[in-house]
Amino acid sequence: MSTDAAILVRRPSGPALTAREISDVLTPATDPLTDPWHHVVGADGSKFRLRLSTEPGDLSGPAPDGSSDGGPSGGGERDYDCFLHVSIYWTTEDTDDSIGSLRAFCRSLVARLHAVWPEAESAFEVDDAYSYRILPELSEGVVDLRLGSEAPPAEPGFSLVEAANRAASGTGLVFTEDEPGRHVVPSQDAGDSVTSTVSSRAEELPFAAGARSGAAPVDARQLGGFTERLLAELARHTAGADLACWVNGRLYRYEVELTPPLD
């Protein structure tokens, strides 16, 4: 069981994100150019170390829809701007869950990066928990959701549609029930690592639910806030769950093994 994680982040257009820029958002007390490791205390009191790298050999990561950047990675992968190596070396007695703490901490880092750069693309994996996020072009958005899990949510009568509408309050998005298999691509036809993960996991998980919104204007920060609220609610009701979110038919966000929010 790993107590390390790798986070990859890139800015799809414009100048590449630098280690300095990312450090200023995540660890402003240390200098990425002189101190290779950054020590950080997480929300639950656990202690972590971060290492930022822009070395070419560290930057290969997943690309969606087979859309590699034509760089040396190829094969459904692309090069990112910066690599973050995250390790956990101490947990509190109350927590004592290094993997859960590491997952939650990585997601908090990614959320902070996307709050500053909504257009960023990011990916990370820790102990089979996988996350992918990129902002599609937005005008009017139709948002499709698919929830998959090992078993139905523990709470009787739990509804993905109701949870999505609560999370979407104030955004203009209104969800109705949808066929859970929409957008699921057979794994043998998937041409890239992101779609392969989505499709193969969908085949493995016996429970599925779907929800689809009508068209409504959405912006990057609304969409980010909506998915954060939805993920927090789903984590309280599901175990071993995945959530995939598409906007106008393009994968926007994919989260595997939802982590309950830290108190």
Side-chain angles (χ1 to χ4, degrees):
M1 183 175 291
S2 173
T3 53
D4 295 77
I7 299 174
L8 292 156
V9 61
R10 69 188 286 264
R11 184 158 43 196
S13 61
L17 290 170
T18 66
R20 170 77 71 181
E21 287 178 301
I22 292 173
S23 179
D24 285 346
V25 173
L26 302 183
T27 55
T30 53
D31 186 341
L33 302 180
T34 59
D35 187 354
W37 287 100
H38 312 274
H39 297 263
V40 182
V41 177
D44 67 347
S46 299
K47 296 180 180 179
F48 302 88
R49 296 195 309 166
L50 307 181
R51 178 174 65 85
L52 287 76
S53 172
T54 55
E55 293 296 319
D58 293 333
L59 302 180
S60 176
D65 307 322
S67 55
S68 67
D69 58 7
S73 301
E77 293 193 337
R78 61 163 51 109
D79 286 340
Y80 285 68
D81 295 341
C82 190
F83 163 90
L84 288 80
H85 177 196
V86 186
S87 63
I88 183 169
Y89 62 93
W90 189 82
T91 59
T92 66
E93 292 183 3
D94 292 337
T95 305
D96 198 27
D97 178 8
S98 59
I99 295 300
S101 293
L102 184 58
R103 289 174 180 167
F105 181 67
C106 286
R107 289 198 169 104
S108 73
L109 296 185
V110 170
R112 288 163 65 185
L113 293 172
H114 281 276
V116 177
W117 298 291
E119 76 284 2
E121 180 178 12
S122 65
F124 79 82
E125 182 174 1
V126 52
D127 193 43
D128 297 326
Y130 183 87
S131 173
Y132 179 81
R133 183 171 174 179
I134 188 172
L135 184 68
E137 293 183 5
L138 293 175
S139 52
E140 279 205 341
V142 174
V143 180
D144 292 278
L145 303 171
R146 185 197 183 278
L147 175 68
S149 66
E150 295 286 352
E155 181 180 327
F158 176 81
S159 166
L160 174 62
V161 171
E162 292 177 3
N165 281 324
R166 284 192 293 271
S169 177
T171 66
L173 296 171
V174 178
F175 287 87
T176 57
E177 190 171 356
D178 189 28
E179 57 182 297
R182 184 188 294 272
H183 294 296
V184 176
V185 179
S187 57
Q188 63 269 25
D189 296 332
D192 62 273
S193 53
V194 176
T195 307
S196 295
T197 302
V198 174
S199 59
S200 62
R201 290 280 299 180
E203 293 171 348
E204 295 169 1
L205 297 174
F207 173 80
R212 180 178 172 87
S213 78
V218 292
D219 63 37
R221 296 185 190 278
Q222 277 188 327
L223 197 58
F226 159 68
T227 53
E228 289 296 328
R229 293 188 295 272
L230 179 58
L231 288 165
E233 179 160 0
L234 292 176
R236 289 191 288 268
H237 298 284
T238 62
D242 299 5
L243 180 72
C245 175
W246 287 264
V247 179
N248 295 334
R250 181 180 179 189
L251 186 66
Y252 158 61
R253 187 166 185 177
Y254 182 55
E255 297 282 347
V256 172
E257 295 285 350
L258 304 176
T259 303
L262 298 170
D263 296 327

